[in-house]
Amino acid sequence: MSTLRFHAIKESLNRKPIKIEEKTRRSELFGLNVFNEDKMRQYLTKEAFNSVMDAMQNGTKIDRVVADHISTGMKEWAISKGATHYTHWFQPLTGSTAEKHDAFFEPIGNGRAIEKFGGGQLVQQEPDASSFPNGGIRNTFEARGYTAWDPTSPAFIYGTTLCIPTVFVSYTGEALDYKTPLLRALQAVDHAAVDVCKYFDKNVKKVNASLGWEQEYFLIDRALVASRPDILLTGRTLLGHSSAKGQQLDDHYFGTIPNRAMQYMRDLETECMLLGIPVKTRHNEVAPNQFELAPVYDEANLAVDHNSLLMDVMDKVAERHDFKVLFHEKPFKGVNGSGKHNNWSLSTDTGVNLLGPGKTPMSNLQFLTFFINTIKAVHDNEELVRASIASASNDHRLGANEAPPAIISVFIGEQLTSVLDELQNVTNGKLSPEEKTDLKLNVVGKIPEILLDNTDRNRTSPFAFTGNKFEFRAVGSKANCANPMTVLNSIVAKQLIDFKAEVDALIDEKELKKDEAIFNVLREYIKKSKNILFEGNGYGEAWEKEAKKRGLSNHKTTPIALRAKVSDKAIKLFEDLGVMNKIETESRYEIEMEEYVLHIQIEGRVLGDVARNHVVPTAVRYQNMLIDNVKGLKEIYGAGFKKLAQQQMNLIEEISGHIEAINSNVTKMTNERKKANNLEDFEKKAEAYCFNVKPIFDEIRYHCDKLELLVDDELWPLTKYRELLFTR
Ligand code: ADP
Ligand code: MG
């Protein structure tokens, strides 16, 4: 074992778990560091409190004078909890979160100082944010952007800083972050869904989208990560031969959580409790050292904030435990990757889950309405849905023989499939009383039962109905959920608007009764969106063929998948809903394409470096050892040496072959990178990186991994898969 590897492994083996003592009940810790309704009641004037609640529930603007009262209350609370600084916390298009801390402290002359935090500082800030990605928006318009308070997501204290969730927009109003379009999409789906709910219940005034994410991740010892330049710089291994034992025994999945990982989780969960992140579930995942954590679902905007915050907190807590969290979708080749399932539903302010079973035939018709409209929305926009989860790292999962495929399809289970089959035969136009009764009793009426034991599980589906919600499984573990959630809520909003118009038209023009009109429209939707429904094995080759026949897209790479974001249809959809204007949509596309290029570029550089400067020199050293050996044998045995040295001589040649292949491929890759870098057009550049640069990674890796098996273990500099995955 090389010295570097030896020390890394020794260091990680010597670590003792940090014992986490829990004296206080978690329910008592929950939300202690959040400026929630309880604290607002305590620290705000009645007027200020009402104004925040109104802003949260109805999106009303907060008056500047009232803002001063709110900030004063918030400051008092924060200082009482030991906070010294405040920050506007936002989610720029880098994918992570951003913050710039300012102290409450303010000198007031005569050597005295006070703690100050005014309404202005709460409501709006101007971070010097010219280095955040903006896809040309701020270059063409204004040089600056500003952050503005989002009162729908409560302020919280992390460490000693009061964090205020904000949107990040340019001075001309274009969104520069993930949150702004999400909030607009949530508003669009709220309005559209309320209008449709009115067919069933006049009392519904608000519909919230809910999100319950499940975060998968790997925990690797910090010293081991530091021994691998590829993990350190790209979050994944760019080379490494698979370990003799991997996940084939399935002995990790739901197994006993290793002690150090357990202490990490407990520590993390305590932090989450304080921050009001309702984490509930933890377990081992399929791969060794892979885990999952999931909260109880929440309103989508808050859930997205919580997930972004969680990823930060996970990193920070990991430092204390000498771990590094790998959020990458595919840190290890041949081992299960990580995703972030997005469980999604819609629920009303009257307490009804619109994708859950109801008590009356009418409420079950409401369920069917939202269920079928969601399927139709995904059917009509499958390419946009695929685009919403596209990234360089997620390409390793989607369409790479692993969960889930790059083809978007919807799984609903056998029983709901038969319900849709029956509904498909509903009479065109007016329904006879007999048919109505039959539908009510035998189709709609059966739904609660069906949903009750909807235990059908299909793990290979990218978008599955799971009894009272849809589970969007193709989202990447590293991704900000805002992106897929913006798309999903937008397409459903658009679909519900169309649905309402069609039903109203049938009522007005054909004089159909409300439920007749609904059945009529749903019938047509079922027929039109059949192609998106798929119950079989999503990983199989047969599905690829079948999907092609059905005309479904199968975009395996990000540059191709992203195009759907700027189709005329997508631009119009976002524009009509007020989610994003053309400039915003186009700039996001550009940013994501550029981000793709940067990721592949960095990986290419790191791989070239590791292959040439770590692998090849090591192989040469070993080869020299073999050469010395052959020379020695010749010296001792004279002409008869050949028989004894044949294997070594073969090995010398084999090593030379791999060294040659690595060197020529690294040169080829570098040249392709140069060519790609010279392309002006960002689409052409991304495609060049995807189709000309990236495929060479596999060639280089192949030969490096072969050498790993040939070269003396004592010389091999890079920590091996078995050590990364099984040292604890
Ligand atoms: P799994 O998918 O691992 O079997 P569950 O189905 O129990 O796990 O739940 C997964 C996630 O779905 C949890 O975060 C849960 O809170 C969330 N969830 C449950 N109901 C809803 C809902 N109505 N809307 C959104 N998410 C939900
Ligand atoms: Mg799940």
Side-chain angles (χ1 to χ4, degrees):
M1 194 181 285
S2 74
T3 1
L4 179 73
R5 258 167 79 208
F6 174 76
H7 284 295
I9 293 165
K10 190 170 154 220
E11 204 178 324
S12 71
L13 283 174
N14 279 344
R15 303 219 201 268
K16 299 270 172 293
I18 301 177
K19 211 146 181 64
I20 301 300
E21 301 268 349
E22 285 183 88
K23 295 201 188 80
T24 320
R25 282 190 206 190
R26 290 195 171 178
S27 57
E28 284 171 37
L29 296 180
F30 189 69
L32 271 189
N33 290 351
V34 182
F35 198 57
N36 55 19
E37 215 177 301
D38 273 355
K39 274 119 201 174
M40 285 198 276
R41 268 184 215 286
Q42 202 183 330
Y43 283 89
L44 298 187
T45 59
K46 204 168 169 107
E47 191 197 3
F49 175 81
N50 288 339
S51 153
V52 180
M53 293 312 279
D54 204 29
M56 280 171 76
Q57 281 151 10
N58 310 314
T60 48
K61 274 225 148 60
I62 290 174
D63 178 277
R64 206 54 179 238
V65 181
V66 181
D68 276 332
H69 294 302
I70 301 169
S71 63
T72 306
M74 215 185 253
K75 180 190 73 183
E76 285 312 310
W77 169 73
I79 290 173
S80 79
K81 308 260 335 158
T84 55
H85 286 67
Y86 65 91
T87 181
H88 274 201
W89 181 82
F90 58 105
Q91 298 167 49
L93 296 166
T94 52
S96 44
T97 60
E99 45 196 87
K100 172 182 158 242
H101 299 192
D102 281 302
F104 290 124
F105 156 85
E106 184 124 335
I108 50 167
N110 298 335
R112 290 185 312 155
I114 55 163
E115 257 76 36
K116 191 169 165 243
F117 179 55
Q121 288 144 314
L122 165 66
V123 173
Q124 192 168 316
Q125 290 272 300
E126 273 178 51
D128 176 16
S130 45
S131 301
F132 289 114
N134 58 67
I137 284 185
R138 270 176 302 140
N139 300 338
T140 28
F141 291 83
E142 264 282 353
R144 285 190 314 215
Y146 67 92
T147 52
W149 182 31
D150 165 23
T152 59
S153 181
F156 57 89
I157 294 171
Y158 191 62
T160 50
T161 305
L162 169 68
C163 301
I164 299 145
T166 53
V167 294
F168 180 37
V169 284
S170 75
Y171 264 93
T172 40
E174 275 93 9
L176 297 171
D177 66 351
Y178 279 111
K179 193 193 257 279
T180 310
L182 175 69
L183 287 172
R184 295 177 190 154
L186 292 172
Q187 193 175 39
V189 82
D190 170 17
H191 292 167
V194 166
D195 283 349
V196 171
C197 282
K198 292 254 156 67
Y199 289 135
F200 307 95
D201 180 357
K202 292 261 180 284
N203 297 318
V204 173
K205 290 199 182 60
K206 188 168 169 61
V207 170
N208 272 325
S210 53
L211 165 64
W213 40 261
E214 302 165 53
Q215 180 72 53
E216 293 183 334
Y217 61 99
F218 279 83
L219 270 186
I220 307 292
D221 187 274
R222 215 157 57 120
L224 297 179
V225 169
S227 74
R228 293 279 312 218
D230 48 355
I231 307 184
L232 203 61
L233 298 180
T234 71
R236 75 173 178 114
T237 54
L238 296 168
L239 43 80
H241 198 280
S242 54
S243 157
K245 178 182 188 286
Q247 63 190 47
Q248 61 272 69
L249 298 176
D250 280 333
D251 49 357
H252 190 69
Y253 192 51
F254 279 23
T256 317
I257 299 174
N259 195 5
R260 257 182 84 201
M262 178 64 119
Q263 299 309 322
Y264 165 75
M265 290 178 192
R266 289 164 65 107
D267 202 358
L268 172 64
E269 285 159 3
T270 304
E271 295 286 353
C272 287
M273 283 301 112
L274 293 169
L275 290 165
I277 306 173
V279 292
K280 195 163 166 76
T281 311
R282 63 175 175 219
H283 60 79
N284 286 359
E285 260 303 325
V286 175
N289 285 340
Q290 190 190 24
F291 307 96
E292 180 185 297
L293 152 149
V296 177
Y297 69 95
D298 232 319
E299 185 279 318
N301 175 41
L302 184 59
V304 167
D305 279 0
H306 278 165
N307 184 249
S308 302
L309 178 58
L310 171 94
M311 288 166 79
D312 268 1
V313 177
M314 283 176 81
D315 271 339
K316 288 191 178 126
V317 176
E319 273 174 36
R320 284 208 281 273
H321 293 256
D322 289 311
F323 278 127
K324 175 95 185 125
V325 186
L326 306 186
F327 288 112
H328 195 286
E329 282 80 356
K330 194 74 181 174
F332 304 100
K333 189 182 169 185
V335 168
N336 209 55
S338 302
K340 177 149 54 197
H341 297 177
N342 277 204
N343 295 273
W344 170 90
S345 187
L346 294 171
S347 59
T348 68
D349 56 346
T350 54
V352 175
N353 175 2
L354 295 167
L355 290 170
K359 290 199 181 74
T360 61
M362 214 45 190
S363 63
N364 287 312
L365 183 55
Q366 174 170 274
F367 158 77
L368 277 177
T369 297
F370 282 91
F371 178 67
I372 294 168
N373 271 290
T374 305
I375 295 171
K376 173 90 167 23
V378 175
H379 171 267
D380 291 0
N381 299 282
E382 48 101 2
E383 286 192 277
L384 188 55
V385 172
R386 166 65 182 95
S388 76
I389 46 161
S391 70
S393 50
N394 212 14
D395 278 359
H396 293 276
R397 280 171 80 228
L398 309 178
N401 296 326
E402 202 197 310
I407 308 159
I408 299 295
S409 65
V410 181
F411 171 87
I412 58 171
E414 202 182 318
Q415 288 161 308
L416 282 163
T417 304
S418 65
V419 170
L420 297 198
D421 285 344
E422 285 180 65
L423 283 175
Q424 207 184 192
N425 299 321
V426 167
T427 306
N428 200 343
K430 285 199 192 305
L431 310 183
S432 69
E434 293 77 31
E435 188 175 5
K436 272 194 184 177
T437 314
D438 182 55
L439 279 173
K440 266 181 195 152
L441 289 180
N442 297 324
V443 182
V444 179
K446 274 194 311 197
I447 287 185
E449 267 173 67
I450 287 175
L451 295 185
L452 214 54
D453 62 37
N454 192 299
T455 46
D456 248 354
R457 285 284 178 167
N458 179 329
R459 295 282 170 195
T460 67
S461 174
F463 200 90
F465 185 70
T466 52
N468 57 2
K469 61 189 183 291
F470 278 98
E471 184 169 350
F472 188 11
R473 300 209 184 102
V475 182
S477 47
K478 234 173 90 174
N480 185 315
C481 310
N483 199 349
M485 280 297 113
T486 301
V487 167
L488 181 59
N489 287 294
S490 297
I491 61 173
V492 171
K494 146 107 178 99
Q495 179 52 49
L496 291 170
I497 293 168
D498 292 350
F499 173 77
K500 171 96 169 48
E502 288 179 57
V503 170
D504 285 351
L506 286 185
I507 295 173
D508 291 347
E509 290 155 24
K510 297 247 163 89
E511 295 180 358
L512 295 190
K513 291 255 163 38
K514 186 175 65 188
D515 49 351
E516 282 173 340
I518 291 173
F519 276 121
N520 268 278
V521 175
L522 292 182
R523 182 195 59 232
E524 293 310 305
Y525 283 1
I526 294 168
K527 287 186 194 160
K528 281 184 195 149
S529 36
K530 269 226 142 114
N531 270 343
I532 201 78
L533 298 179
F534 179 63
E535 305 284 302
N537 175 13
Y539 304 166
E541 247 177 71
W543 172 228
E544 287 208 37
K545 290 205 185 102
E546 163 75 14
K548 197 169 176 190
K549 264 196 230 147
R550 293 191 190 185
L552 297 176
S553 71
N554 184 5
H555 301 315
K556 296 191 176 188
T557 60
T558 294
I560 304 300
L562 282 178
R563 283 183 197 162
K565 285 208 161 178
V566 283
S567 67
D568 292 345
K569 186 173 151 190
I571 289 174
K572 183 166 174 358
L573 174 110
F574 290 129
E575 218 159 29
D576 287 353
L577 293 169
V579 171
M580 285 189 280
N581 63 26
K582 190 162 184 246
I583 295 170
E584 290 171 309
T585 304
E586 284 176 343
S587 66
R588 257 147 232 265
Y589 171 60
E590 201 177 318
I591 289 168
E592 286 177 43
M593 290 288 258
E594 277 167 3
E595 201 185 323
Y596 177 83
V597 167
L598 292 175
H599 273 102
I600 306 293
Q601 189 176 56
I602 292 170
E603 287 190 347
R605 287 178 184 157
V606 175
L607 181 59
D609 167 47
V610 174
R612 269 221 173 117
N613 305 327
H614 299 230
V615 174
V616 168
T618 308
V620 169
R621 271 163 74 192
Y622 181 54
Q623 201 182 33
N624 284 337
M625 281 165 68
L626 292 170
I627 290 170
D628 282 347
N629 176 263
V630 173
K631 277 188 191 157
L633 288 172
K634 192 174 176 187
E635 223 172 276
I636 298 172
Y637 293 97
F641 89 101
K642 269 205 171 148
K643 210 169 140 227
L644 298 167
Q646 196 53 53
Q647 292 300 326
Q648 291 88 314
M649 279 158 45
N650 290 349
L651 207 48
I652 290 168
E653 279 182 34
E654 213 180 324
I655 291 173
S656 278
H658 291 306
I659 291 175
E660 199 286 316
I662 291 171
N663 277 326
S664 60
N665 276 304
V666 170
T667 305
K668 199 166 129 198
M669 176 184 69
T670 314
N671 287 337
E672 289 298 339
R673 274 211 322 266
K674 279 188 192 140
K675 274 199 250 167
N677 291 343
N678 284 333
L679 295 170
E680 284 291 328
D681 181 290
F682 72 88
E683 285 178 321
K684 293 221 171 74
K685 190 185 278 185
E687 280 163 30
Y689 265 95
C690 181
F691 299 114
N692 305 338
V693 177
K694 201 172 150 250
I696 308 175
F697 292 4
D698 293 338
E699 292 292 319
I700 298 170
R701 176 175 194 151
Y702 173 82
H703 294 285
C704 291
D705 289 358
K706 283 285 176 210
L707 283 173
E708 185 183 323
L709 289 187
L710 298 179
V711 170
D712 182 359
D713 181 69
E714 231 175 274
L715 298 178
W716 196 256
L718 298 164
T719 311
K720 295 185 172 180
Y721 264 35
R722 61 166 185 266
E723 295 150 355
L724 291 167
L725 292 169
F726 293 98
T727 312
R728 45 181 80 117

